[in-house]
Amino acid sequence: MEVFGVAVTLLALFAGFGVLIGLLFGFFGMGGSFLVTPALMVMGYETDVAVASGLAFVFATSVIATLKHRDLGQVDYKLGVLMIAGTTAGIEVGKIGLHWLQDIGLADTVVSVIYVALLGGIGVFITYTATRGDGDSGGGISHDADGEAEDDIDGEDIPDIAKTIQSYRVPPMMRLRGGVSVSLWLILAVAFATGLLSGFLGVGGGFIRMPALFYLIGVPVPVAVGTDLFEIVFSGGIGSFLYAMDGAVDLSIVVPLLAGSALGARLGAAATDLVDEDEIKVYFGVMLLLGALAVAIRKVGEFADIPVLQTVSLVVILGAAALVSGAVVVSSVRALRSEPARATSTAD
């Protein structure tokens, strides 16, 4: 059976895949293109169609997730605009470096090695800092990003790297959500650096920006996620428009993906207000580590000419997505169940 020339089973598959990616996207603020694009390529779609359709999906999903984070007060628009300016400049410089490597025939190898090292390095760092246990701090910065609580955040909740950056008070100073005060030039420098890596690696950069906003700028994790999504709305929108002009966006892929992700993205965004912040960081770190493993397996398969490793790589990343999504859902359900118990205990 077909609908608009597409098999119903394929539409259902894309819709289910959309729920999975939408949940991760809303929870972490990471673009789903690193999941969608390789999956479509393995399914036999042309590279430009896979990239364009993945980008269009990410753009639309980011709008959905950003709206939810906005409702939760987890989007810093001022920081988002500054990051857009800095990352745009960085992306352009990164592209120049990438084109130079392509001209000398080293782009694929260099980018793959850096990608694995970056994913693995960030994954190890985030997982380690989130699991080592920091006394009674209970998981870092409060999820409450609104109201007077912004001014009462304990200095111990801010990462040491962010404290060092905030100590360089070079005018003009910018006050951000969560009571954070940082020099404009330092924000732009961090934005440029993340944009440089994003442009060089040819990725959306959510896995770079989100931890950078927390560990370098010092904003709360939920606000880092929401602000990163806000930025992706603009970068993904421009990219999607350019690809659509070339006719590379396949709506038979994008529409069912969006139908599923509309639910998943809002669930993922809502989960950031329920799950303990250290759990968010642990899940994020594990996701990056498994992503690095998947990229490494794919590269070994290409180098050794073992096609089956391409499939193994896809299975690893999809399995990681399913595993982490399940953990997020379980943690959210536990948090919801514990709230009535705490309320009853308080009443007694």
Side-chain angles (χ1 to χ4, degrees), residues 89-298:
I91 287 172
E92 289 304 315
V93 175
K95 285 181 179 178
I96 293 173
L98 181 60
H99 289 156
W100 177 75
L101 285 174
Q102 286 177 327
D103 291 338
I104 62 177
L106 294 176
D108 185 62
T109 300
V110 172
V111 168
S112 295
V113 171
I114 294 177
Y115 197 71
V116 171
L118 195 61
L119 279 174
I122 295 175
V124 169
F125 174 73
I126 292 176
T127 304
Y128 170 73
T129 56
T131 57
R132 66 183 180 180
D134 295 320
D136 299 324
S137 61
I141 300 172
S142 170
H143 285 76
D144 184 3
D146 293 316
E148 296 300 322
E150 292 183 358
D151 299 321
D152 299 325
I153 292 176
D154 188 346
E156 294 301 318
D157 292 333
I158 300 175
D160 291 337
I161 300 175
K163 289 180 184 178
T164 301
I165 289 177
Q166 292 175 18
S167 69
Y168 295 103
R169 305 188 68 80
V170 181
M173 300 297 293
M174 308 298 294
R175 188 164 181 80
L176 309 175
R177 297 187 70 84
V180 177
S181 182
V182 184
S183 169
L184 168 64
W185 305 112
L186 291 174
I187 293 176
L188 292 177
V190 170
F192 179 83
T194 56
L196 182 67
L197 289 171
S198 180
F200 184 76
L201 297 175
V203 295
F207 73 92
I208 301 172
R209 277 193 306 270
M210 195 283 273
L213 288 172
F214 174 67
Y215 286 102
L216 300 182
I217 303 299
V219 297
V221 167
V223 176
V225 172
T227 303
D228 182 37
L229 286 166
F230 171 72
E231 183 176 7
I232 294 173
V233 169
F234 292 88
S235 60
I238 294 172
S240 299
F241 175 76
L242 294 176
Y243 273 112
M245 293 294 289
D246 294 332
V249 177
D250 189 336
L251 293 180
S252 68
I253 298 172
V254 177
V255 172
L257 280 174
L258 288 176
S261 69
L263 171 64
R266 295 189 71 82
L267 290 175
T272 62
D273 206 41
L274 296 171
V275 180
D276 180 81
E277 186 163 309
D278 271 351
E279 287 190 62
I280 295 178
K281 289 184 282 186
V282 169
Y283 295 152
F284 188 79
V286 170
M287 189 74 193
L288 294 185
L289 287 171
L290 292 175
L293 176 62
V295 174
I297 291 174
R298 185 178 65 188

Side-chain angles (χ1 to χ4, degrees), residues 43-92:
M43 292 173 67
Y45 288 95
E46 295 294 331
T47 302
D48 61 338
V49 173
V51 172
S53 300
L55 191 59
F57 164 72
V58 167
F59 161 65
T61 309
S62 66
V63 173
I64 298 169
T66 298
L67 290 174
K68 181 60 180 179
H69 280 278
R70 181 202 62 183
D71 295 341
L72 295 171
Q74 296 173 351
V75 178
D76 189 325
Y77 297 103
K78 178 167 59 178
L79 176 59
V81 170
L82 293 175
M83 291 295 290
I84 289 172
T87 53
T88 300
I91 287 172
E92 289 304 315

Side-chain angles (χ1 to χ4, degrees), residues 325-348:
S325 295
V328 169
V329 171
V330 170
S331 295
S332 299
V333 171
R334 286 177 178 172
L336 287 172
R337 287 180 175 177
S338 65
E339 287 182 359
R342 284 199 299 267
T344 300
S345 177
T346 302
D348 295 339

